[in-house]
Amino acid sequence: ADESSGYESESAGGDRAAAAAPSGTRGRQRRARTAFTSEQVCRLEKTFQRQKYLGASERRKLAAALQLSEVQIKTWFQNRRMKLKRQI
């Protein structure tokens, strides 16, 4: 897995694995689901309560503090805004 992006790398035999896979699962592997710790979720929720959108520098600082990638932070905030929209 590529730690900086949060994506799993493709297997070495990419074409052979895709050929053997059932239809609908060909191509890139899905990335692994991130399992956030309760401390990370708590900090993310507190930050979200203060501001619904993060700038690049804020996202970078939060990612470093929580030992997550910026992509994971960005995705978490996108998903959290959608959750809030559904609740309203």
Side-chain angles (χ1 to χ4, degrees):
D2 181 354
E3 293 176 14
S4 63
S5 68
Y7 292 171
E8 284 185 335
S9 59
E10 291 188 47
S11 62
D15 290 336
R16 283 176 278 141
S23 64
T25 59
R26 294 181 181 182
R28 289 186 56 93
Q29 291 180 333
R30 286 185 64 113
R31 47 195 130 142
R33 183 181 176 110
T34 302
F36 295 103
T37 66
S38 56
E39 291 82 13
Q40 288 171 330
V41 172
C42 184
R43 177 81 181 270
L44 287 163
E45 286 288 352
K46 281 183 184 178
T47 305
F48 184 78
Q49 292 305 315
R50 284 195 313 270
Q51 55 190 118
K52 307 297 186 247
Y53 293 85
L54 293 180
S57 63
E58 296 161 325
R59 188 170 57 240
R60 197 174 309 115
K61 289 177 189 174
L62 187 57
L66 297 178
Q67 297 180 337
L68 295 168
S69 72
E70 290 183 51
V71 172
Q72 289 170 314
I73 300 293
K74 181 178 178 180
T75 302
W76 189 91
F77 269 78
Q78 288 174 335
N79 290 339
R80 186 61 180 86
R81 286 191 298 268
M82 289 307 295
K83 179 180 177 180
L84 179 63
K85 186 177 176 181
R86 283 192 307 270
Q87 289 172 339
I88 296 173

